[in-house]
Amino acid sequence: MGGIYEYLKDYTNAVKNYQRTYQWNPQTPTVARFKAAYLLDTQLGRRSDALQIYQDALSRITRASEHRLWVEYAEQRVKELTGEVKPEP
């Protein structure tokens, strides 16, 4: 459902559905967390909420190669959102 709402550009409902996925089943792969954080960050401007979810998703990675591109993106955004580095243009 999250993907459908995202496709329709209804980002609020997309985030809600991604969040429900991992709230109802904490064993859900971390991609739902990354997508929720990404939409909160880039589409809804809720950066503090996104930061928490990025950090939570990163803490759940169990293998170095797991979701490599999402991990790289999330690590960079955490640094930018916490002021560790300046955001890239």
Side-chain angles (χ1 to χ4, degrees), residues 2-71:
I4 292 169
Y5 281 117
E6 188 175 352
Y7 176 80
L8 295 172
K9 299 187 185 327
D10 184 347
Y11 301 117
T12 300
N13 279 317
V15 168
K16 285 179 186 177
N17 279 275
Y18 286 132
Q19 288 176 320
R20 284 185 184 135
T21 300
Y22 59 81
Q23 289 168 343
W24 290 346
N25 181 2
Q27 302 307 315
T28 298
T30 55
V31 172
R33 287 176 174 82
F34 285 128
K35 287 186 175 188
Y38 177 79
L39 292 176
L40 286 166
D41 183 13
T42 63
Q43 300 300 322
L44 299 175
R46 293 174 46 197
R47 289 177 175 70
S48 63
D49 294 331
L51 175 60
Q52 290 176 338
I53 298 171
Y54 281 135
Q55 290 170 326
D56 180 49
L58 288 169
S59 74
R60 294 173 183 276
I61 297 296
T62 57
R63 295 184 315 270
S65 63
E66 187 176 21
H67 311 299
R68 184 180 54 81
L69 294 177
W70 276 113
V71 169

